[in-house]
Amino acid sequence: QMMVFPNPIKDRIHILLPGDQEGLYLFQLVDGQGKQLISHRQYLRPTDQFIEIPAGEIPPGVYVLQIQQGEKGNIQSIQVLR
């Protein structure tokens, strides 16, 4: 199971992925209106289980972190606070 911490997020989003997941991942943070605030693409090897993404100057609020593996992979969504 994937974990996102800390929640509420601070200056970085930390993501812990299950082991042996290899491929291209797309990480997107969107607000309640569907506006994309962060888009981060990264190729992960099976040994890459911990991802750190800068959160920048995101205002306080409730957001959804969408994680997609591959171009047509399933999208997993996690609610995060700032």
Side-chain angles (χ1 to χ4, degrees):
Q1 170 134 359
M2 177 178 24
M3 292 176 40
V4 176
F5 58 93
N7 197 359
I9 59 176
K10 298 188 179 179
D11 59 337
R12 298 189 173 278
I13 303 170
H14 302 266
I15 304 164
L16 185 61
L17 297 169
D20 74 348
Q21 301 291 315
E22 184 172 10
L24 184 63
Y25 280 78
L26 176 62
F27 303 90
Q28 294 181 315
L29 190 70
V30 296
D31 65 13
Q33 286 75 42
K35 180 181 175 188
Q36 178 181 302
L37 300 168
I38 293 176
S39 181
H40 178 81
R41 202 176 286 268
Q42 185 170 342
Y43 187 87
L44 301 179
R45 294 179 182 81
T47 56
D48 296 331
Q49 295 181 358
F50 179 76
I51 308 300
E52 185 177 274
I53 301 172
E57 298 294 324
I58 299 169
V62 178
Y63 300 94
V64 175
L65 177 64
Q66 298 176 339
I67 301 173
Q68 180 177 357
Q69 182 182 12
E71 292 297 318
K72 298 184 182 200
N74 292 333
I75 296 176
Q76 298 182 40
S77 298
I78 297 175
Q79 183 174 332
V80 295
L81 305 174
R82 169 73 182 230

